[in-house]
Coordinates of all heavy atoms in Angstrom, one line a residue:
T1 N 202.4 -87.0 229.6 CA 202.4 -88.5 229.7 C 203.7 -89.0 229.6 O 204.1 -89.9 230.2 CB 201.5 -89.0 228.5 OG1 200.2 -88.5 228.5 CG2 201.5 -90.5 228.4
L2 N 204.6 -88.4 228.6 CA 205.9 -88.8 228.5 C 206.7 -88.7 229.8 O 207.5 -89.5 230.1 CB 206.6 -88.1 227.3 CG 207.9 -88.7 226.8 CD1 207.8 -90.0 226.4 CD2 208.5 -87.9 225.6
L3 N 206.5 -87.5 230.4 CA 207.3 -87.3 231.7 C 206.8 -88.3 232.8 O 207.7 -88.8 233.5 CB 207.0 -86.0 232.2 CG 207.9 -84.8 231.6 CD1 207.4 -83.5 232.0 CD2 209.4 -85.0 231.9
C4 N 205.7 -88.6 232.8 CA 205.1 -89.5 233.9 C 205.2 -91.1 233.6 O 205.6 -91.8 234.5 CB 203.6 -89.2 234.2 SG 203.4 -87.6 234.9
K5 N 205.0 -91.4 232.4 CA 205.0 -92.8 232.0 C 206.2 -93.3 231.3 O 206.3 -94.5 231.0 CB 203.7 -93.1 231.2 CG 202.4 -92.9 232.1 CD 201.2 -93.4 231.4 CE 200.0 -93.2 232.2 NZ 198.7 -93.6 231.4
E6 N 207.0 -92.4 230.8 CA 208.1 -92.5 230.0 C 207.8 -93.3 228.7 O 208.5 -94.0 228.1 CB 209.2 -93.4 230.8 CG 209.7 -92.5 232.1 CD 210.4 -93.4 232.9 OE1 210.7 -94.6 232.8 OE2 210.7 -92.8 234.0
E7 N 206.5 -93.1 228.2 CA 206.1 -93.7 227.0 C 205.0 -92.8 226.5 O 204.2 -92.3 227.2 CB 205.6 -95.1 227.2 CG 205.0 -95.7 226.0 CD 204.5 -97.2 226.1 OE1 203.4 -97.4 226.7 OE2 205.4 -98.1 225.9
L8 N 205.0 -92.6 225.2 CA 203.9 -91.9 224.5 C 203.3 -92.7 223.4 O 204.0 -93.0 222.5 CB 204.5 -90.5 224.1 CG 203.4 -89.7 223.3 CD1 202.4 -89.2 224.4 CD2 204.1 -88.4 222.7
R9 N 202.1 -93.1 223.7 CA 201.4 -93.9 222.5 C 200.7 -92.8 221.6 O 199.8 -92.0 222.1 CB 200.3 -94.8 223.1 CG 201.0 -96.0 223.9 CD 199.9 -96.8 224.5 NE 200.5 -97.8 225.3 CZ 200.9 -99.1 224.9 NH1 200.6 -99.4 223.6 NH2 201.5 -99.8 225.7
F10 N 201.0 -92.9 220.3 CA 200.5 -91.9 219.4 C 198.9 -91.9 219.3 O 198.4 -90.9 219.2 CB 201.1 -92.1 218.1 CG 202.6 -92.0 218.1 CD1 203.4 -92.6 217.1 CD2 203.4 -91.3 219.1 CE1 204.7 -92.5 217.1 CE2 204.7 -91.2 219.0 CZ 205.4 -91.8 218.1
A11 N 198.4 -93.1 219.4 CA 197.0 -93.3 219.2 C 196.2 -92.6 220.4 O 195.1 -92.0 220.1 CB 196.6 -94.7 219.1
D12 N 196.8 -92.6 221.5 CA 196.2 -91.8 222.7 C 196.1 -90.3 222.3 O 195.1 -89.7 222.6 CB 197.0 -92.1 223.8 CG 196.9 -93.5 224.4 OD1 196.1 -94.3 224.0 OD2 197.7 -93.9 225.3
V13 N 197.1 -89.8 221.9 CA 197.2 -88.4 221.5 C 196.2 -88.1 220.4 O 195.5 -87.1 220.4 CB 198.6 -87.9 221.1 CG1 198.6 -86.5 220.7 CG2 199.6 -88.1 222.4
E14 N 196.2 -89.0 219.4 CA 195.3 -88.8 218.2 C 193.8 -88.8 218.6 O 193.0 -88.0 218.3 CB 195.6 -89.8 217.2 CG 196.8 -89.7 216.5 CD 197.2 -90.9 215.5 OE1 196.7 -92.0 215.7 OE2 197.9 -90.6 214.5
A15 N 193.4 -89.6 219.5 CA 192.2 -89.7 220.1 C 191.7 -88.7 220.9 O 190.6 -88.1 220.8 CB 192.0 -91.1 220.9
R16 N 192.6 -88.1 221.8 CA 192.3 -86.9 222.6 C 192.1 -85.6 221.9 O 191.4 -84.7 222.2 CB 193.4 -86.7 223.6 CG 193.0 -87.4 225.0 CD 194.1 -87.0 226.1 NE 195.4 -87.3 225.5 CZ 196.3 -88.0 226.2 NH1 196.1 -88.4 227.4 NH2 197.4 -88.3 225.6
H17 N 193.0 -85.6 220.8 CA 193.1 -84.2 220.1 C 192.6 -84.3 218.7 O 192.9 -83.2 218.0 CB 194.5 -83.7 220.2 CG 194.9 -83.5 221.6 ND1 194.4 -82.6 222.5 CD2 195.7 -84.3 222.4 CE1 195.0 -82.6 223.6 NE2 195.8 -83.6 223.6
A18 N 192.1 -85.3 218.2 CA 191.6 -85.5 216.8 C 192.6 -85.0 215.8 O 192.4 -84.0 215.0 CB 190.3 -84.7 216.6
L19 N 193.8 -85.6 215.8 CA 194.8 -85.2 214.8 C 195.6 -86.5 214.4 O 195.4 -87.5 215.1 CB 195.8 -84.3 215.5 CG 196.5 -84.6 216.8 CD1 197.8 -85.4 216.7 CD2 196.9 -83.3 217.5
D20 N 196.4 -86.3 213.3 CA 197.2 -87.4 212.8 C 198.6 -87.1 213.3 O 199.4 -86.2 213.0 CB 197.3 -87.3 211.3 CG 198.1 -88.3 210.5 OD1 198.8 -89.1 211.2 OD2 198.1 -88.4 209.4
F21 N 199.0 -88.0 214.4 CA 200.3 -87.7 215.0 C 201.5 -87.5 214.3 O 202.2 -86.6 214.3 CB 200.4 -88.7 216.2 CG 201.5 -88.4 217.1 CD1 201.2 -87.7 218.3 CD2 202.9 -88.6 217.0 CE1 202.3 -87.4 219.2 CE2 203.8 -88.3 217.7 CZ 203.5 -87.7 218.9
P22 N 201.7 -88.6 213.3 CA 202.9 -88.5 212.5 C 203.0 -87.3 211.7 O 204.1 -86.7 211.4 CB 202.9 -89.7 211.7 CG 202.0 -90.6 212.5 CD 201.0 -89.8 213.1
R23 N 201.8 -86.8 211.1 CA 201.8 -85.6 210.3 C 202.0 -84.4 211.1 O 202.8 -83.4 210.7 CB 200.5 -85.6 209.4 CG 200.7 -84.5 208.5 CD 199.6 -84.2 207.4 NE 198.5 -85.3 207.5 CZ 197.4 -85.1 207.0 NH1 197.1 -84.0 206.3 NH2 196.5 -86.0 207.0
R24 N 201.3 -84.2 212.2 CA 201.3 -83.0 213.0 C 202.6 -82.9 213.7 O 203.1 -81.7 213.9 CB 200.1 -83.2 214.0 CG 200.2 -82.1 215.1 CD 199.9 -80.8 214.7 NE 199.7 -79.8 215.6 CZ 200.8 -79.3 216.4 NH1 202.1 -79.5 216.0 NH2 200.6 -78.3 217.2
F25 N 203.3 -83.9 214.1 CA 204.6 -83.8 214.8 C 205.8 -84.4 213.9 O 206.7 -84.9 214.5 CB 204.4 -84.6 216.1 CG 203.5 -84.0 217.1 CD1 202.2 -84.5 217.2 CD2 203.9 -82.9 217.7 CE1 201.4 -84.0 218.1 CE2 203.0 -82.3 218.7 CZ 201.8 -82.8 218.8
A26 N 205.6 -84.2 212.7 CA 206.8 -84.8 211.9 C 208.1 -84.1 212.2 O 209.1 -84.9 212.2 CB 206.4 -84.4 210.4
R27 N 208.2 -82.8 212.5 CA 209.4 -82.2 212.7 C 209.9 -82.6 214.1 O 211.1 -82.9 214.3 CB 209.2 -80.7 212.8 CG 210.5 -79.8 213.1 CD 210.5 -78.5 213.1 NE 209.2 -77.8 213.1 CZ 209.0 -76.5 213.1 NH1 210.1 -75.7 212.8 NH2 207.7 -76.0 213.2
E28 N 209.1 -82.9 215.0 CA 209.4 -83.5 216.3 C 210.1 -84.8 216.2 O 211.0 -85.2 216.9 CB 208.4 -83.3 217.4 CG 207.9 -81.9 217.7 CD 207.1 -81.2 216.8 OE1 206.7 -81.7 215.6 OE2 206.7 -80.1 217.0
L29 N 209.3 -85.6 215.4 CA 209.7 -87.0 215.3 C 211.1 -87.1 214.6 O 212.0 -87.8 214.9 CB 208.7 -87.8 214.5 CG 207.5 -88.1 215.2 CD1 206.4 -88.7 214.2 CD2 207.6 -89.0 216.3
E30 N 211.4 -86.3 213.7 CA 212.7 -86.1 213.0 C 213.7 -85.7 214.0 O 214.8 -86.3 214.1 CB 212.6 -85.1 211.9 CG 214.0 -85.0 211.1 CD 214.2 -86.4 210.3 OE1 213.3 -87.1 209.9 OE2 215.5 -86.6 210.2
A31 N 213.4 -84.7 215.0 CA 214.3 -84.3 215.9 C 214.7 -85.5 216.9 O 215.8 -85.5 217.5 CB 213.8 -83.1 216.6
L32 N 213.7 -86.3 217.2 CA 213.8 -87.4 218.1 C 214.8 -88.4 217.6 O 215.3 -89.2 218.5 CB 212.4 -88.0 218.5 CG 211.6 -87.2 219.4 CD1 210.2 -87.7 219.3 CD2 212.1 -87.2 220.9
K33 N 215.1 -88.5 216.4 CA 216.0 -89.4 215.8 C 217.5 -89.2 216.4 O 218.2 -90.2 216.6 CB 216.1 -89.4 214.3 CG 214.8 -89.8 213.7 CD 214.9 -89.8 212.2 CE 213.5 -90.3 211.6 NZ 213.5 -90.3 210.1
R34 N 217.7 -87.9 216.8 CA 219.1 -87.6 217.5 C 219.1 -88.4 218.7 O 220.1 -89.0 219.2 CB 219.2 -86.2 217.6 CG 220.3 -85.8 218.5 CD 220.5 -84.3 218.7 NE 221.3 -84.0 219.7 CZ 221.0 -83.4 220.9 NH1 219.7 -83.0 221.2 NH2 221.8 -83.2 221.9
W35 N 218.0 -88.4 219.5 CA 217.9 -89.1 220.9 C 217.9 -90.5 220.5 O 218.5 -91.4 221.4 CB 216.7 -88.7 221.6 CG 216.9 -87.1 222.1 CD1 216.2 -86.0 221.6 CD2 217.7 -86.7 223.1 NE1 216.7 -85.0 222.1 CE2 217.4 -85.3 223.2 CE3 218.4 -87.3 224.0 CZ2 218.0 -84.5 224.2 CZ3 219.1 -86.5 225.0 CH2 218.9 -85.1 225.0
E36 N 217.3 -91.0 219.6 CA 217.3 -92.5 219.4 C 218.7 -93.0 219.0 O 219.1 -94.1 219.4 CB 216.3 -92.7 218.1 CG 216.1 -94.2 217.9 CD 215.2 -94.5 216.8 OE1 215.0 -93.7 215.7 OE2 214.4 -95.5 217.0
N37 N 219.4 -92.2 218.2 CA 220.8 -92.5 217.9 C 221.6 -92.6 219.0 O 222.7 -93.4 219.1 CB 221.4 -91.5 216.9 CG 220.8 -91.6 215.5 OD1 220.2 -92.7 215.1 ND2 220.9 -90.6 214.7
L38 N 221.3 -91.9 220.1 CA 222.1 -91.8 221.3 C 221.6 -92.9 222.3 O 222.1 -93.1 223.4 CB 221.9 -90.5 222.1 CG 222.7 -89.3 221.3 CD1 222.3 -88.0 221.9 CD2 224.1 -89.5 221.4
R39 N 220.5 -93.7 221.9 CA 219.9 -94.8 222.6 C 219.2 -94.2 223.9 O 219.2 -94.9 224.9 CB 221.0 -95.9 222.9 CG 221.5 -96.6 221.7 CD 222.3 -97.8 222.0 NE 222.4 -98.6 220.9 CZ 223.6 -98.6 220.1 NH1 224.5 -97.7 220.4 NH2 223.8 -99.3 219.1
M40 N 218.7 -93.1 223.8 CA 217.9 -92.5 224.8 C 216.4 -92.7 224.7 O 215.7 -92.8 225.7 CB 218.2 -91.0 225.0 CG 219.6 -90.6 225.0 SD 220.2 -91.1 226.7 CE 222.0 -90.7 226.5
V41 N 215.9 -93.0 223.5 CA 214.5 -93.3 223.1 C 214.4 -94.5 222.2 O 215.4 -94.5 221.5 CB 213.7 -92.1 222.7 CG1 213.8 -90.9 223.7 CG2 214.3 -91.6 221.3
K42 N 213.4 -95.0 222.1 CA 213.1 -96.0 221.0 C 211.8 -95.4 220.4 O 210.7 -95.2 221.0 CB 212.8 -97.3 221.6 CG 213.9 -98.1 222.1 CD 213.6 -99.4 222.6 CE 214.8 -100.1 223.3 NZ 214.6 -101.5 223.8
L43 N 211.9 -95.2 219.0 CA 210.9 -94.7 218.2 C 210.4 -96.0 217.5 O 211.1 -96.6 216.8 CB 211.3 -93.7 217.1 CG 211.3 -92.3 217.6 CD1 212.1 -91.4 216.6 CD2 210.0 -91.7 218.0
Q44 N 209.0 -96.1 217.6 CA 208.3 -97.2 216.9 C 207.2 -96.5 216.1 O 206.9 -95.4 216.2 CB 207.7 -98.2 217.8 CG 208.8 -98.9 218.6 CD 208.3 -100.1 219.6 OE1 207.1 -100.1 219.8 NE2 209.1 -100.9 220.0
S45 N 206.6 -97.2 215.2 CA 205.5 -96.7 214.4 C 204.3 -96.2 215.2 O 203.6 -95.2 214.7 CB 205.0 -97.6 213.2 OG 204.5 -98.8 213.9
D46 N 204.1 -96.8 216.4 CA 203.0 -96.4 217.1 C 203.3 -95.7 218.5 O 202.3 -95.3 219.2 CB 202.1 -97.6 217.4 CG 202.7 -98.6 218.2 OD1 203.9 -98.7 218.3 OD2 202.0 -99.4 218.8
R47 N 204.6 -95.5 218.9 CA 204.9 -95.0 220.2 C 206.3 -94.6 220.3 O 207.1 -94.9 219.4 CB 204.6 -96.1 221.2 CG 205.6 -97.1 221.3 CD 205.3 -98.2 222.2 NE 204.3 -98.9 221.6 CZ 203.5 -100.1 222.2 NH1 204.0 -100.3 223.4 NH2 202.8 -100.7 221.7
L48 N 206.6 -93.8 221.4 CA 207.8 -93.3 221.7 C 208.1 -93.8 223.1 O 207.2 -93.6 224.0 CB 207.9 -91.7 221.7 CG 209.1 -91.1 222.3 CD1 210.3 -91.4 221.5 CD2 208.9 -89.6 222.4
M49 N 209.2 -94.5 223.4 CA 209.6 -94.9 224.7 C 210.9 -94.4 225.1 O 211.9 -94.4 224.3 CB 209.6 -96.5 224.6 CG 208.3 -97.2 224.3 SD 208.3 -99.0 224.2 CE 209.5 -99.2 222.8
V50 N 211.1 -94.1 226.3 CA 212.3 -93.6 226.8 C 213.0 -94.9 227.4 O 212.5 -95.7 228.0 CB 212.1 -92.6 228.0 CG1 213.3 -92.1 228.6 CG2 211.3 -91.5 227.4
T51 N 214.3 -94.8 227.2 CA 215.2 -96.0 227.6 C 215.6 -95.8 229.0 O 215.5 -94.7 229.6 CB 216.4 -96.3 226.7 OG1 217.3 -95.2 226.9 CG2 215.9 -96.5 225.3
G52 N 216.2 -96.7 229.6 CA 216.8 -96.5 231.0 C 217.8 -95.4 231.1 O 217.7 -94.6 231.9
A53 N 218.7 -95.3 230.2 CA 219.6 -94.2 230.1 C 218.8 -92.9 229.8 O 219.2 -91.8 230.3 CB 220.7 -94.5 229.0
G54 N 217.9 -92.9 229.0 CA 217.1 -91.7 228.6 C 216.3 -91.1 229.8 O 216.1 -89.9 229.8
K55 N 216.0 -91.9 230.8 CA 215.4 -91.4 232.0 C 215.9 -90.1 232.6 O 215.4 -89.3 233.2 CB 215.1 -92.5 233.1 CG 214.1 -93.5 232.5 CD 214.1 -94.6 233.6 CE 213.3 -95.8 233.1 NZ 213.1 -96.8 234.1
F56 N 217.3 -90.2 232.5 CA 218.2 -89.1 233.1 C 218.1 -87.8 232.3 O 218.5 -86.7 232.7 CB 219.6 -89.5 233.2 CG 219.8 -90.7 234.2 CD1 219.9 -92.0 233.8 CD2 219.7 -90.6 235.5 CE1 220.1 -93.0 234.6 CE2 219.8 -91.6 236.4 CZ 220.0 -92.9 236.0
F57 N 217.6 -87.9 231.1 CA 217.5 -86.8 230.1 C 216.1 -86.6 229.6 O 215.9 -85.8 228.7 CB 218.4 -87.1 228.9 CG 219.9 -87.3 229.2 CD1 220.4 -88.4 229.4 CD2 220.6 -86.1 229.3 CE1 221.7 -88.7 229.8 CE2 222.1 -86.3 229.7 CZ 222.6 -87.6 229.9
L58 N 215.2 -87.0 230.5 CA 213.8 -87.0 230.1 C 213.3 -85.5 229.9 O 212.6 -85.3 228.8 CB 212.9 -87.7 231.2 CG 211.5 -88.0 230.7 CD1 211.5 -88.6 229.5 CD2 210.8 -88.8 231.9
R59 N 213.6 -84.6 230.7 CA 213.1 -83.2 230.5 C 213.7 -82.7 229.2 O 213.1 -81.9 228.4 CB 213.5 -82.4 231.6 CG 212.8 -82.6 232.8 CD 212.9 -81.5 234.0 NE 212.0 -81.8 235.1 CZ 210.8 -81.5 235.1 NH1 210.2 -80.7 234.1 NH2 210.1 -81.6 236.1
H60 N 215.0 -83.0 228.9 CA 215.5 -82.5 227.6 C 214.9 -83.2 226.3 O 214.7 -82.5 225.3 CB 217.1 -82.9 227.6 CG 217.7 -82.1 228.7 ND1 218.1 -80.8 228.6 CD2 218.2 -82.5 229.8 CE1 218.8 -80.4 229.7 NE2 218.8 -81.5 230.4
I61 N 214.6 -84.4 226.5 CA 213.9 -85.1 225.3 C 212.5 -84.5 225.1 O 212.1 -84.2 224.0 CB 213.7 -86.6 225.7 CG1 215.1 -87.3 225.7 CG2 212.8 -87.4 224.7 CD1 215.1 -88.6 226.3
C62 N 211.8 -84.2 226.2 CA 210.5 -83.5 226.1 C 210.6 -82.2 225.5 O 209.6 -81.7 225.0 CB 209.8 -83.5 227.4 SG 209.3 -85.1 228.0
K63 N 211.7 -81.5 225.6 CA 211.7 -80.2 225.0 C 211.6 -80.2 223.4 O 211.2 -79.2 222.9 CB 213.2 -79.6 225.3 CG 213.3 -79.1 226.7 CD 214.6 -78.4 226.9 CE 214.7 -78.0 228.3 NZ 216.0 -77.4 228.7
V64 N 211.7 -81.4 222.9 CA 211.6 -81.5 221.4 C 210.1 -81.1 221.1 O 209.8 -80.6 220.0 CB 211.8 -83.0 221.0 CG1 211.2 -83.2 219.6 CG2 213.3 -83.3 221.0
F65 N 209.1 -81.2 222.0 CA 207.7 -80.9 221.7 C 207.4 -79.6 222.2 O 206.2 -79.1 222.1 CB 206.8 -82.0 222.5 CG 207.0 -83.3 221.9 CD1 207.9 -84.3 222.5 CD2 206.3 -83.6 220.8 CE1 207.8 -85.6 222.1 CE2 206.4 -84.9 220.2 CZ 207.2 -85.8 220.8
D66 N 208.3 -78.7 222.6 CA 208.0 -77.4 223.2 C 208.0 -76.5 221.9 O 209.1 -76.2 221.3 CB 209.1 -76.9 224.2 CG 208.7 -75.7 224.8 OD1 208.2 -74.7 224.2 OD2 209.1 -75.5 226.0
R67 N 206.9 -76.0 221.5 CA 206.8 -75.0 220.5 C 207.5 -73.8 220.5 O 208.0 -73.3 219.5 CB 205.3 -74.6 220.1 CG 204.5 -75.9 219.4 CD 204.8 -76.0 217.9 NE 204.2 -77.1 217.4 CZ 204.5 -77.6 216.3 NH1 205.6 -77.0 215.5 NH2 203.9 -78.7 215.7
L68 N 207.5 -73.2 221.7 CA 208.2 -71.9 221.9 C 209.8 -72.1 221.6 O 210.4 -71.2 221.0 CB 207.9 -71.4 223.3 CG 206.6 -70.9 223.5 CD1 206.3 -70.4 225.0 CD2 206.1 -69.8 222.6
L69 N 210.3 -73.2 222.2 CA 211.6 -73.4 221.9 C 212.0 -73.7 220.5 O 212.9 -73.2 219.9 CB 212.2 -74.7 222.7 CG 212.4 -74.5 224.2 CD1 212.7 -75.7 224.9 CD2 213.3 -73.4 224.5
A70 N 211.1 -74.5 219.8 CA 211.2 -74.7 218.4 C 211.2 -73.5 217.5 O 212.0 -73.3 216.6 CB 210.1 -75.7 217.9
E71 N 210.3 -72.6 217.8 CA 210.2 -71.3 217.1 C 211.5 -70.6 217.3 O 212.0 -70.0 216.3 CB 209.0 -70.4 217.6 CG 207.8 -70.9 217.2 CD 206.5 -70.3 217.8 OE1 206.8 -69.2 218.4 OE2 205.4 -70.7 217.6
K72 N 212.1 -70.5 218.5 CA 213.4 -69.8 218.6 C 214.5 -70.5 217.9 O 215.4 -69.9 217.2 CB 213.7 -69.7 220.1 CG 212.9 -68.9 220.9 CD 213.2 -68.9 222.3 CE 212.4 -68.0 223.2 NZ 212.8 -68.1 224.6
E73 N 214.4 -71.8 217.8 CA 215.6 -72.5 217.2 C 215.5 -72.5 215.7 O 216.5 -72.4 215.0 CB 215.4 -74.1 217.7 CG 216.6 -74.9 217.1 CD 216.6 -76.3 217.6 OE1 216.1 -76.4 218.8 OE2 217.0 -77.2 217.0
Y74 N 214.3 -72.5 215.1 CA 214.1 -72.5 213.6 C 213.9 -71.1 213.1 O 213.6 -70.9 211.9 CB 213.0 -73.5 213.3 CG 213.3 -74.8 213.6 CD1 212.4 -75.6 214.7 CD2 214.3 -75.6 213.0 CE1 212.7 -76.8 215.0 CE2 214.6 -76.9 213.4 CZ 213.9 -77.5 214.4 OH 214.0 -78.8 214.7
R75 N 213.9 -70.1 213.8 CA 213.6 -68.7 213.4 C 214.8 -68.4 212.3 O 216.0 -68.5 212.7 CB 213.6 -67.8 214.6 CG 213.2 -66.3 214.1 CD 213.1 -65.4 215.3 NE 212.0 -65.9 216.2 CZ 211.9 -65.8 217.4 NH1 212.9 -65.3 218.1 NH2 210.8 -66.3 218.1
V76 N 214.3 -67.8 211.3 CA 215.2 -67.4 210.2 C 215.5 -65.9 210.4 O 214.5 -65.2 210.4 CB 214.7 -67.8 208.8 CG1 215.7 -67.2 207.8 CG2 214.6 -69.3 208.8
V77 N 216.6 -65.5 210.5 CA 216.9 -64.1 210.6 C 217.3 -63.6 209.2 O 218.3 -64.1 208.5 CB 218.1 -63.8 211.6 CG1 218.3 -62.4 211.7 CG2 217.5 -64.4 213.0
G78 N 216.7 -62.7 208.7 CA 217.0 -62.1 207.4 C 217.5 -60.7 207.4 O 217.7 -60.0 208.5
P79 N 217.9 -60.2 206.2 CA 218.3 -58.9 206.1 C 217.4 -57.8 206.5 O 216.2 -57.9 206.5 CB 218.8 -58.6 204.6 CG 218.2 -59.8 203.9 CD 217.8 -60.8 205.0

């Protein structure tokens, strides 16, 4: 949805998948603040919108929601 419409309404995802979007995607929403600071997205309480400048980085913005990438990034390597 985000790639096609450049907007993601949290209620739509919640209705389709029976989940609490802010709780389920808390880490992703936190990561999106970086993109918001760069003015590539606008985060609101009920949606995520891609700005005009953000359209050029849409695939990179969507990577925030890629679980496989997140597991690699947050993997802790121990002794």
Side-chain angles (χ1 to χ4, degrees):
T1 301
L2 190 56
L3 280 170
C4 294
K5 297 184 179 180
E6 298 166 2
E7 179 179 78
L8 181 65
R9 293 177 185 268
F10 303 154
D12 293 344
V13 176
E14 291 174 331
R16 260 189 310 228
H17 300 286
L19 56 81
D20 179 351
F21 192 94
R23 186 171 3 160
R24 171 64 176 79
F25 293 103
R27 184 175 15 185
E28 290 82 354
L29 290 170
E30 186 63 32
L32 284 166
K33 289 181 181 178
R34 173 179 164 245
W35 291 103
E36 185 175 39
N37 290 338
L38 294 170
R39 294 188 168 96
M40 302 291 172
V41 301
K42 290 182 183 179
L43 273 171
Q44 296 181 346
S45 62
D46 65 336
R47 74 186 74 183
L48 167 66
M49 296 177 295
V50 178
T51 66
K55 291 177 187 182
F56 298 104
F57 298 94
L58 194 51
R59 289 193 176 274
H60 296 285
I61 293 165
C62 288
K63 286 182 181 181
V64 169
F65 293 99
D66 187 322
R67 284 283 178 194
L68 292 176
L69 287 177
E71 288 174 10
K72 289 178 185 177
E73 185 175 331
Y74 296 113
R75 186 174 295 145
V76 177
V77 178

